[in-house]
Amino acid sequence: MGEAEASPGAWSGGRLALVTAAAVVLPVLATWWCSVRRRRRTAARPGPGPYAGPGRHGWLYSDLFGRPTYCSVCGLPALRGCYCHSCGACVHPACQVGAERSLRCKQPLSAAAGPARHHWLRGNVPLCSRCAVCGLACGSQPRLCDQRCVWCQQVAHDGCRARMSPVCPLGPLPRALLPPHYLHSVSAGRATRHLSAQDVPVAVEAWSPMLVLGNSHSGSNMAQSLMVEFRSILNPAQVVDLGSVTPYDALQLCTLLPNHSACVLVCGGDGTVGWVLDAIDEMKYKGQGQSVPRVAILPLGTGNDLSCTLGWGASYNGDFTAEHILRQVLDGETVLLDRWRVQLMKGFYRFHRSKVLSMNNYFSIGPDALMALNFHERRQQSPFLFSSRIINKAVYFFYGTRDCLVQTCKDLDKKIELTLKSSAMPMQVDGEPWVQGPCTVLISHKTRALMVQAPTSVPDGFQREPEAAGSSEEAQNKKNHH
């Protein structure tokens, strides 16, 4: 009787475990499959790559447009196809070559003298748009109609466009914009660090040109859509994909600007931020210290400890537009961040080349470094599988659980005495792991970096860790994070 009564309960418990496992595993598998398909589409994308030369269209492929879309060349409806990451033109794959000939893209450099002019693109205006002339709805007809300026994003009916002033205000954030005529003057050697009111669209003392650096595959590919948004309101030359350009090369744009006027927004995790800060240190070593920018963070990676410390939160969930993000950065406070040098010396250091790393957050030895190492090695083997935060956290959970059971790093207190005495142990600096043999670790102060701390009222779209939302005194103590 007891066994009969226990069977329904056992079956109910087993069914609950099965449903719970399915609820966890199925989203991970679905995200993984979407990542594989996205990688295959990217590899098979026709025409120029997504980051073409200056002034050329940079095409990205979409297997389903998120709104009614019409080809900018033939005018026919398009369910899927290519869109330009700079000007927003949408075309069928078969019309892509024609678009290169007939549609002019957003030009990062312009030799035109005088005030900037509008650059109009017909059709596919944003939803719920209003005409800048008559105030009525635009883009409401089921065809390629009405026009949008690719610089200031103003829209107008086809019949109203002629009544608009030809002078373009260059977007909603002229304070953060690099005017195309300024870049042309720089390339021709005519620009100087001493600007006049005619050189920039705002007061010279208020001008803070922004440089956006990120990996388009970070944050479940959220970075790619964000970088498209950034290019729509900034000069395309101000938005750089670190998958194709090194941070040091990208930061050379700052050397063409007035001293300490530039601000860099890094879209990524602690590793990407550390990479950019190392490039800034390299600028200092090469005599470009007067050109180093301030650095703000948009947390898109798996580990975002430095972002939490500076008040930008643990992750960005996509609730705010690129314009809102840039406004938050412009309103942020500049603070100093201590950076540290971690030197690993094997044996007698004079006869062995030491390994030197930069630390912004933490240095650790043992189980947490082993978990990061396992994750890092697996991601290097199959990088296309790790384009989602859900998958990344699931893999971290797997390795963390396995390491708790296997206990590879047990007896840690017997293997370490300020120095590493024997055997090889996993280590990590700011989430960058490796396996290290016996060595002596020397930690010393390296330099200070100019960082942008979030404004007092952080937008809700940036998820914050409980400890990062504490009192101002606690936040001040975290700035040094020795």
Side-chain angles (χ1 to χ4, degrees), residues 7 27 95-96 109-110 125 129 144 155 169 207 214 235 238 258 322 352 366 380 397 407 431 443:
S7 297
C95 297
Q96 186 177 336
L109 289 81
S110 174
V125 300
S129 297
L144 192 72
V155 298
W207 191 42
N235 190 314
Q238 294 177 251
H352 295 81
Q380 283 190 323
F397 175 78
Q407 296 185 353
I443 300 178

Side-chain angles (χ1 to χ4, degrees), residues 296-351:
I297 304 173
L298 181 64
L300 294 181
T302 306
N304 300 299
D305 297 291
L306 185 55
S307 174
C308 292
T309 301
L310 294 173
W312 294 109
S315 63
Y316 171 69
N317 60 19
D319 285 350
F320 288 94
T321 63
E323 178 184 344
H324 190 93
I325 295 170
L326 293 179
R327 291 188 186 277
Q328 289 290 323
V329 173
L330 292 173
D331 292 339
E333 176 189 358
T334 302
V335 296
L336 290 174
L337 170 72
D338 288 323
R339 304 193 71 217
W340 304 88
R341 178 184 290 106
V342 179
Q343 188 174 7
L344 306 175
M345 298 179 292
K346 299 179 181 180
F348 192 58
Y349 67 91
R350 291 184 180 178
F351 299 102

